Amino acid sequence: MNRAFTLHDLIVAGAALAAGIAAGLLLRVALRWLGKHALRTRWSGDDILVDALRAVVPWAAITGGLAAAAAALPLTPTVGHTVNRTLTVLLILVVTLTAARVITGVVKSLAQSRSGVAGSATIFANITRIIVLAMGFLVVLQTLGISIAPLLTALGVGGLAVALALQDTLANLFAGVHILASKTVQPGDYIRLSSGEEGYVVDVNWRNTVVRQLSNNLVIISNAQLAGTNMTNFTRPEQKLTILVQVGVAYDSDLDHVERVTTEVVESVMKGVNGGDPDHEPAVRFHTFGDSRIGFTVILGVGEFSDQYRIKHEFIKRLHQRYRDEGIRIPSPARTVALQKPEEIVIPHQRDLSDVVPPVP
């Protein structure tokens, strides 16, 4: 259009813009209300969906209002084309950011559902976010009329130089992806390295693996080092595990009675203490004739690695009290020391060797 602006055009454009803004605000309020109800459900997918809609729907309404306002104004073809392209780019950016948020939230949700509430594998989330944002950036360039073929070629050539300069970083990145993809270590697992570090895996990011010790300290281990070291995973293939407690009783004890009492204590601990395995079958195994006692091993079941300390604590307390009630004696090591008076010490008779070895002239 080549005609001049009129008051009617401005009123219509202003009304369209105001309608778009009002619609965006109303939709934001409605989605906030839906978000509160989504938090009450167990499924985390509705939280991610509502959060994504809260980000894209209001902006889409405002963009629609801007487009309607621009259509109501007598703009020249060049200006109209520029405005439409700008609004399209804005909408693409909003959709790209929303898609990155949604897909990242889905990845984190899947990681948490597999690893437990304490785990989060941010390496996959970061990679996913970068890929989505890069695709959105290429779409924006294509929308603006910029050819992306030379850019992709330049990125392919420059990627080789970047890969050579960031060998350690890329090694840690691919090591982290390999660790998570092979499921040898997942966030939430309790691991112990051959070098002595141990704790719960909190996060596996693009460079490091974060391990939280039982003392609540964090140990930062590079992914390449973790992938190349020997370690024990106490959570896989099963989170439940067994622990051994060494006990000893006097030689005059009735071993059948000892086994029966110990088994009863194990059953009470397994069912009555938080962290015990109620399905664990008690096991008592005699194995050693010691200096002052008969030694045996008690096998206990625990729900996870950190539960073993509580279970051992309660088991030893209850077993000690039960042995006292049943009259079962746990002997302490004893040694017999014989003392002699000086006059009672007999010095062996020394043989006269003069008749064997002749005197030296």
Side-chain angles (χ1 to χ4, degrees), residues 174-343:
F174 289 111
V177 173
H178 170 71
I179 289 172
L180 293 176
S182 62
K183 297 183 180 180
T184 55
V185 174
Q186 295 290 320
D189 293 354
Y190 192 96
I191 63 173
R192 176 185 294 163
L193 304 184
S194 58
S195 55
E197 296 88 353
E198 63 178 86
Y200 287 99
V201 178
V202 177
D203 185 24
V204 181
N205 54 45
W206 61 278
R207 183 175 179 83
N208 301 314
T209 297
V210 182
V211 176
R212 178 175 57 83
Q213 297 179 323
L214 294 179
S215 58
N216 214 28
N217 297 323
L218 295 180
V219 179
I220 311 300
I221 307 169
S222 64
N223 294 333
Q225 178 184 356
L226 183 65
T229 188
N230 297 328
M231 67 177 170
T232 303
N233 192 331
F234 292 94
T235 308
R236 300 181 183 276
E238 187 178 4
Q239 190 173 16
K240 295 180 180 180
L241 52 89
T242 57
I243 57 176
L244 308 179
V245 178
Q246 305 299 327
V247 190
V249 294
Y251 274 93
D252 57 357
S253 302
D254 182 353
L255 297 186
D256 291 333
H257 180 58
V258 170
E259 184 177 4
R260 182 173 61 255
V261 170
T262 306
T263 301
E264 293 175 358
V265 174
V266 173
E267 291 178 347
S268 67
V269 172
M270 293 294 97
K271 297 179 180 179
V273 179
N274 185 24
D277 183 9
D279 300 328
H280 173 72
E281 182 178 355
V284 178
R285 299 293 182 264
F286 296 96
H287 56 73
T288 304
F289 287 102
D291 294 339
S292 58
R293 64 181 67 191
I294 297 178
F296 61 93
T297 300
V298 181
I299 304 175
L300 306 173
V302 297
E304 63 168 333
F305 184 86
S306 61
D307 293 331
Q308 62 176 306
Y309 305 104
R310 185 189 311 111
I311 295 299
K312 283 183 179 180
H313 171 77
E314 290 295 331
F315 172 72
I316 292 175
K317 285 173 55 179
R318 297 188 183 191
L319 186 67
H320 181 263
Q321 182 62 41
R322 185 67 184 277
Y323 278 5
R324 291 183 62 182
D325 297 340
E326 297 290 338
I328 300 175
R329 189 166 58 90
I330 303 177
S332 57
R335 295 290 184 271
T336 301
V337 180
L339 300 178
Q340 293 181 337
K341 296 180 180 181
E343 57 271 15

